[in-house]
Amino acid sequence: MILLYAFCDQDGVWHGDRDAVIDQSGPSSGTLTLAAGPPREAGVFAGQTLTVLFAACGLEASQSSYRLDDGRRVPASWHVHELLAPAYEPDTGASRVSPGGVAAPGVRFEVTHGGRRYCLAADPAGSGRLEVTVLVCSTDGIIHGELTGEMDAGDLAGIGRLITAVAGACLTPTDPAPAAGALIGMMAPGVKASRPGAAWTPAAEQHLRQGHRAGKTAAELAGELGRTENAIRWKLFGFKLAPYPADLVPVQRAAPATEPAPPKAYTVADRRHSHPRAYERWTPQEDARLGELHARSMPVGEMARELGRNEGAIRARLERILPPF
């Protein structure tokens, strides 16, 4: 991925990862002018015109991109984003789309609304699919929510309409709900999975929500949807309709809470308290060590502790460095 990985301030001092290994003969460069604005914490580059370097490299990408003075938009590494974010005013316009109505792959968009920043990343995942990540945080960097998943690029428009409809329904809780029996009495096309591990369709997700509200068990829903009970429990957990599922143990329906629990708030710095190397670029030495630990059949949790990263990062890196079967 092409990333903005280093920049030079007005005093001639370089910041970021100027010595990063890049996947081309030389980096591209440009200028980025930051608004002066009122003084803000750590906004030491406010009002400066910076010389920036960007190229394809293996650094960890943030969820934000920066519009250069010539109009080009380049996503930044986490290191650079942490340095520039306090002094950068992101665009508030709508995201750009391709002529076919699908967000271009490998892009980052960010808008600010109501005191929160909404960052969307779309990266190609092969075979016409995109890996989409949405990050919601406050203007001071506190993360309030994350959403990630993989889908066909052509489904983005439909997913957008579905999210808009769900948001409207959630904002009007007093509206009378349709009778559960009327909604789940018939199986709409695309509800039951055609094969194990098939992607969830909007119709199947709707059927799952309605069946859960009607009091159906995980076993009943699994039979109707052609999936395992564990898949049903994990999907309900993803919708925040059920508690965290324990492996192979039936999960009891949680009693409705009188007040919603406050959202978990954390930052990149918080994550690095427990995982010191979180979001850092993988070095060749770390890759070699990870390969040794995997060859010794060390559990993922122990590898994560030794390398200072979370288990998800360990699994993702193993998929990248291990040879295909």
Side-chain angles (χ1 to χ4, degrees):
M1 177 185 297
I2 296 178
L3 296 177
L4 193 165
Y5 66 92
F7 63 92
C8 181
D9 63 23
Q10 63 183 10
D11 297 321
V13 178
W14 283 93
H15 305 268
D17 300 282
R18 190 182 182 188
D19 297 327
V21 178
I22 60 177
D23 300 331
Q24 56 193 62
S25 58
S28 299
S29 63
T31 59
L32 172 64
T33 301
L34 303 176
R40 282 177 287 181
E41 181 182 358
V44 296
F45 305 108
Q48 296 190 25
T49 296
L50 311 174
T51 299
V52 300
L53 299 179
F54 52 94
C57 58
L59 297 176
E60 296 286 347
S62 72
Q63 301 300 324
S64 298
S65 59
Y66 290 77
R67 183 180 292 278
L68 305 186
D69 294 342
D70 61 7
R72 289 178 292 179
R73 182 183 291 275
V74 184
S77 67
W78 266 112
H79 189 184
V80 168
H81 178 60
E82 288 175 338
L83 295 171
L84 294 183
Y88 180 68
E89 296 292 343
D91 295 337
T92 56
S95 298
R96 295 173 297 172
V97 296
S98 68
V102 177
V107 296
R108 300 288 187 277
F109 295 111
E110 180 175 320
V111 296
T112 300
H113 176 72
R116 290 200 176 185
R117 292 165 52 202
Y118 299 87
C119 313
L120 183 145
D123 295 303
S127 300
R129 295 177 67 79
L130 293 177
E131 182 179 349
V132 180
T133 301
V134 178
L135 184 68
V136 181
C137 61
S138 61
T139 53
D140 55 358
I142 301 298
I143 299 174
H144 291 285
E146 292 176 275
L147 180 66
T148 185
E150 187 178 303
M151 66 188 70
D152 288 335
D155 291 332
L156 279 178
I159 293 296
R161 289 193 294 270
L162 181 63
I163 291 175
T164 301
V166 171
C170 292
L171 291 175
T172 55
T174 57
D175 291 346
L183 290 173
I184 62 178
M186 296 184 294
M187 293 287 284
V191 168
K192 192 163 187 177
S194 59
R195 57 181 175 79
W200 284 81
T201 64
E205 292 177 345
Q206 181 183 22
H207 188 91
L208 175 64
R209 289 176 182 271
Q210 294 165 352
H212 177 77
R213 294 191 186 103
K216 291 200 171 187
T217 66
E220 291 173 326
L221 291 169
E224 292 176 357
L225 295 168
R227 300 179 184 272
T228 65
E229 293 184 37
N230 266 354
I232 297 297
R233 295 191 183 102
W234 279 108
K235 197 67 175 178
L236 289 172
F237 170 70
F239 288 148
K240 296 182 172 56
L241 296 176
Y244 187 87
D247 290 342
L248 303 178
V249 177
V251 177
Q252 298 296 324
R253 291 277 297 276
T258 56
E259 293 183 1
K264 183 179 179 181
Y266 52 90
T267 66
V268 173
D270 293 332
R271 288 186 171 180
R272 286 179 175 163
H273 282 303
S274 55
H275 307 293
R277 293 285 295 166
Y279 301 113
E280 292 286 347
R281 177 174 61 90
W282 284 82
T283 65
Q285 293 78 10
E286 286 180 305
D287 282 343
R289 181 58 177 164
L290 179 60
E292 293 174 4
L293 300 178
H294 179 267
R296 289 160 45 187
S297 300
M298 177 178 286
V300 171
E302 294 183 22
M303 288 191 283
R305 285 191 292 273
E306 176 166 334
L307 295 173
R309 300 179 184 268
N310 63 41
E311 295 185 13
I314 295 295
R315 293 190 180 96
R317 195 64 182 177
L318 284 173
E319 291 181 2
R320 179 175 295 184
I321 67 174
L322 291 180
F325 292 104

